Amino acid sequence: MYSIIVVPPPTTEDENHPTQIRMAPGERLSFGRSGSDNDLAIAHEGVSRRAGEITAQGAFWILSNLSREQTYVVENPEGAGEHIKVGPGRLDAPVPFEFSRIVLPAAGDLLAIQVWAPRHDYRSADGLDGATTAPAFSVDRTKRYFAVLAALCEPRLRGDPHAALPTVDQVVDRLRPNWPAASRTSVQWNIDYLAVKLRLKPGPEEADTGPRLNGKKESLVSLALRFDLVREDDLVVLTEPVPRRVAR
């Protein structure tokens, strides 16, 4: 049973039908410029002859950087810019992302190898008695503030981890078809409410005088995407009527 899928950089021959290489646990895939020395040949003069190696390890995978000078970046397209760097000569770097993009700098180009890890192992419920654990973040997906948070996260959840965040006016426009009373004031109120609710800043009764929280929207989106408070499936709230009550 395969555990990861590797999609090489597209070529003119397979743009409509990208190649997929399926790997079972324990299998290795070497890649580089040389067609005779690698399982996957990447015909680009800026790629090392022996550039790297991907190894499937059960429910995850590891990356070895065999180049002498280039640092590879492994991005999480679903994680709002989350990434790891694998330096030259680094062997067996574990990659924690379920969907990843290995970015190879190649003589002015950035070549991307996509890696999907569709196999996941989960622990079954243990059935222990006693009080349940309090949730780390309490969000109600039926409330207006969640629709505002989903609208803020939408550009990055749609596939661009570096997308600019929408302005308050753009959030208003996104929500207004299903929330006719949406306004700059109501959206900003919900953003402030989320910052307090998710403990990014103290509540009014605890706050002392001082500067406002800078980068509030960026902080909210970063937190929401890192901890899966908003997933792509949650974007359905943007096409449903927004509840009448809270937040505002």
Side-chain angles (χ1 to χ4, degrees), residues 38-194:
N38 296 286
D39 303 309
L40 170 61
I42 303 176
H44 193 294
E45 62 181 5
V47 175
S48 299
R49 287 189 297 273
R50 284 273 291 174
E53 192 172 73
I54 295 168
T55 305
Q57 293 280 55
F60 71 102
W61 59 282
I62 58 178
L63 173 65
S64 294
N65 182 349
L66 304 181
S67 71
R68 293 182 178 180
E69 299 179 353
Q70 301 292 353
T71 292
Y72 299 159
V73 175
V74 185
E75 299 176 338
N76 175 12
E78 302 172 318
E82 188 177 20
H83 68 277
I84 61 173
K85 295 191 291 185
V86 182
R90 169 71 192 276
L91 301 177
D92 298 337
V95 179
F97 312 135
E98 296 180 5
F99 173 39
S100 309
R101 180 166 47 230
I102 307 172
V103 181
L104 308 177
D109 294 324
L110 294 177
L111 306 180
I113 300 174
Q114 298 181 31
V115 182
W116 305 339
R119 174 189 157 185
H120 308 294
D121 296 331
Y122 295 96
R123 179 174 178 267
S124 59
D126 52 23
L128 293 177
D129 296 328
T132 58
T133 303
F137 303 100
S138 178
V139 294
D140 187 337
R141 286 167 169 76
T142 68
K143 302 300 184 182
R144 287 180 178 175
Y145 67 76
F146 188 79
V148 171
L149 185 59
L152 290 172
C153 294
E154 182 180 26
R156 295 184 183 179
L157 282 172
R158 294 296 188 192
D160 185 353
H162 306 295
L165 297 185
T167 65
V168 171
D169 287 332
Q170 289 171 330
V171 173
V172 171
D173 291 341
R174 184 70 176 94
L175 296 177
R176 189 164 279 163
N178 297 297
W179 180 10
S183 65
R184 283 183 55 85
T185 300
S186 60
V187 167
Q188 189 60 60
W189 189 94
N190 279 276
I191 291 173
D192 289 337
Y193 176 81
L194 282 163

